[in-house]
Amino acid sequence: TLRFTPRVRFLVGELSALGLPGGHFDGILIHFVLHDLPTADRPGILLHLARVLRPGGAVFLREPVGRGAAPSDQIIHLLESAGMHLLSRADESHWFTGPILSASFVKP
């Protein structure tokens, strides 16, 4: 599993309390998380994640966008407002979750 892979870390906890150094991480995976966060907290959390990425680092995102969740364009806008550049986008659908946004972003 990935937990035994060098340079891979799994962190759980309040993001601001983890003491993550700025410009340190190569990549961040956000998988079915944003829709569970309070709408007002999302911009600050994404700014914090962008801050801990090194230049050239990437965010890989997969997020439901139907059934009351934020629409795809709003999620993309939040990440671009955090300073990330959209690399790729795929709009999918799954029988259980409904519409899903899969996207990757890079920090310039």
Side-chain angles (χ1 to χ4, degrees):
T1 65
L2 283 177
R3 67 185 163 139
F4 300 114
T5 303
R7 295 179 42 97
V8 173
R9 293 174 51 199
F10 292 91
L11 305 171
V12 178
E14 175 66 34
L15 187 59
S16 60
L18 293 174
L20 302 174
H24 183 75
F25 290 90
D26 297 321
I28 295 172
L29 173 66
I30 302 171
H31 188 264
F32 279 50
V33 173
L34 291 179
H35 70 282
D36 285 330
L37 301 174
T39 303
D41 293 348
R42 293 174 192 163
I45 289 169
L46 293 173
L47 275 171
H48 190 80
L49 291 175
R51 182 190 67 76
V52 301
L53 274 178
R54 66 168 177 77
V59 170
F60 303 97
L61 175 128
R62 191 160 188 256
E63 186 69 21
V65 291
R67 300 183 187 155
S72 297
D73 291 340
Q74 185 179 67
I75 294 171
I76 291 169
H77 175 74
L78 284 171
L79 280 144
E80 289 178 336
S81 295
M84 305 298 294
H85 290 270
L86 179 66
L87 287 179
S88 67
R89 170 188 180 163
D91 295 293
E92 310 170 29
S93 187
H94 187 272
W95 68 270
F96 184 72
T97 60
I100 298 169
L101 169 65
S102 294
S104 60
F105 298 82
V106 67
K107 180 178 179 177

